[in-house]
Amino acid sequence: MASDVPYRVPGGSFAYDVFTFDELSDGYVALHFVGMLYCFVALALVCDDYFVPALEDAAKALRISHDVAGATLMAAGGSAPELATAIIGTLGRRPGVAVGTIVGSAVFNVLAVIGACAVLTPGTLKLTPWPMVRDAIFYLISLGALVGAFVDRRVMWYEALSMFTVYV
């Protein structure tokens, strides 16, 4: 590979990198991690300064408790990027991106987020099995509806409406 040509991930689905393959091999890939760290810190600051206060104001205006606001409004705000990615993937004729984003996000939330909460909780975490059983049942119902809609490799309007109804 020529040293002055920007690196491109094989497959052609991604944009060219700003670095060449040689530069990445020489350690410039660390700059990608610095950029990711910067984005994570910026996201944390934006959430602390804007998202949480907006959530508190919305809870006060809607006259709901902070627990309910955290479970509903915060979940909607946290899922907005996945929804935007799914819409863009669908409109861009890349349905695999849309499905992968939604299903992958759900699996990550169930496994990594809940696991991290259990690991980072000081002391012993006492849980009842009901929340996990409830979530697993509804997750299986949702995946069953998704598989049922994709059997013929087309999603009709009534299938989309039924999945949306299950969601609501």
Side-chain angles (χ1 to χ4, degrees), residues 24-39:
L24 291 171
S25 297
D26 290 339
Y28 281 48
V29 72
L31 293 177
H32 287 297
F33 289 104
V34 170
M36 286 190 301
L37 181 64
Y38 174 80
C39 288

Side-chain angles (χ1 to χ4, degrees), residues 63-84:
R63 294 187 188 111
I64 56 177
S65 71
H66 290 288
D67 292 338
V68 173
T72 55
L73 301 175
M74 191 169 208
S79 297
E82 287 91 2
L83 179 62

Side-chain angles (χ1 to χ4, degrees), residues 90-167:
T90 301
L91 295 177
R93 303 281 188 203
R94 307 282 302 235
V97 171
V99 174
T101 299
I102 300 300
V103 174
S105 171
V107 170
F108 179 80
N109 289 340
V110 168
L111 298 177
V113 173
I114 295 173
C117 289
V119 169
L120 297 175
T121 300
T124 303
L125 184 63
K126 294 185 175 143
L127 299 174
T128 61
W130 168 244
M132 187 62 182
V133 170
R134 179 198 60 212
D135 290 352
I137 289 170
F138 280 101
Y139 191 59
L140 287 174
I141 290 170
S142 300
L143 285 178
L146 186 65
V147 169
F150 284 139
V151 166
D152 59 355
R153 301 187 60 85
R154 294 183 64 159
V155 179
M156 304 304 290
W157 69 268
Y158 53 85
E159 294 170 329
L161 181 62
S162 68
M163 285 189 279
F164 181 74
T165 304
V166 168
Y167 174 74

